[in-house]
Amino acid sequence: MTHKNKLLATVAALAVLGIGGYAVASSMHDGYHERHGGHGMQGGMGGGMHGGMGGMGSFRMERGMERMIERYDANGDGKLTQEEIDAGREKQLKQFDKDGDGSLNLAEYQALWADVMRERMVRGFQRHDADGDGKVTVAEFQKRFKHMAERLDGNDDGSFDMKEMRERHRRHRD
């Protein structure tokens, strides 16, 4: 692998990790607000990432399963067999295997990942775009995290650390 290709692969991997990290942080933030009625954009759904039966976590899992059935149910019977899943995944891999070598390199996988995550990304964009003008301003981007340090600061020192995060999580879980 040439130096240029290594550099491109590294940049692509960092971009994927950065986007994934943002998605996780945003999801955690959403889950916090869904559980605690804060400034989240969805509010009122109840539950959260750690919601029990009937909670937001259960809803998300159910919605994910619906999308999986929609994507892979080849015969339209509303059920999935392992054969349908395997055939669907193979077709999906082939769609993004641009060089036709039967496998995905990082760039090809990144395209597949972006395609699969697009719906989630659009929802995240819409949650940030408070006025619905199709643009996310700095103020809109900051709004959902505006009072995060204040909310997570367990010892009133103006900041939070992992110890405070774990303690807060433990208290809300119990």
Side-chain angles (χ1 to χ4, degrees):
M1 183 180 274
T2 68
H3 177 70
K4 181 179 177 183
N5 287 343
K6 285 180 185 177
L7 182 60
L8 286 173
T10 301
V11 169
L14 290 173
V16 168
L17 290 172
I19 292 167
Y22 172 75
V24 168
S26 182
S27 179
M28 289 175 71
H29 180 72
D30 293 344
Y32 170 84
H33 285 296
E34 289 161 359
R35 287 189 305 278
H36 304 292
H39 297 86
M41 298 306 229
Q42 290 185 341
M45 293 296 288
M49 284 177 35
H50 300 287
M53 294 302 287
M56 192 64 189
S58 174
F59 171 78
R60 285 182 179 158
M61 183 176 71
E62 185 175 319
R63 183 64 191 124
M65 295 308 291
E66 286 175 13
R67 282 192 294 263
M68 187 173 181
I69 291 171
E70 289 169 8
R71 175 173 285 151
Y72 297 124
D73 183 14
N75 63 9
D77 67 355
K79 301 176 186 178
L80 278 184
T81 65
Q82 189 62 52
E83 290 78 21
E84 287 174 312
I85 294 168
D86 292 346
R89 299 285 289 175
E90 183 176 341
K91 180 180 174 185
Q92 194 175 21
L93 186 135
K94 285 180 181 178
Q95 176 186 348
F96 290 93
D97 180 15
K98 297 304 180 192
D99 62 11
D101 69 353
S103 61
L104 299 180
N105 61 37
L106 182 58
E108 293 167 335
Y109 185 83
Q110 182 177 359
L112 178 139
W113 185 87
D115 183 66
V116 170
M117 296 302 288
R118 180 165 175 61
E119 183 180 329
R120 185 174 183 171
M121 182 269 306
V122 169
R123 283 193 314 267
F125 178 86
Q126 290 170 336
R127 283 191 302 269
H128 280 97
D129 182 19
D131 61 9
D133 67 352
K135 299 176 183 177
V136 176
T137 65
V138 170
E140 288 172 321
F141 193 65
Q142 291 175 341
K143 181 178 181 180
R144 297 175 69 221
F145 289 78
K146 193 74 170 173
H147 301 285
M148 181 176 276
E150 180 182 318
R151 285 190 305 268
L152 298 175
D153 180 11
N155 61 8
D156 295 321
D157 69 352
S159 64
F160 64 93
D161 58 23
M162 287 307 297
K163 181 179 176 187
E164 290 167 301
M165 294 285 293
R166 285 185 201 104
E167 177 60 28
R168 181 176 189 84
H169 179 73
R170 187 190 59 74
R171 281 194 315 267
H172 287 287
R173 193 179 54 211
D174 294 340

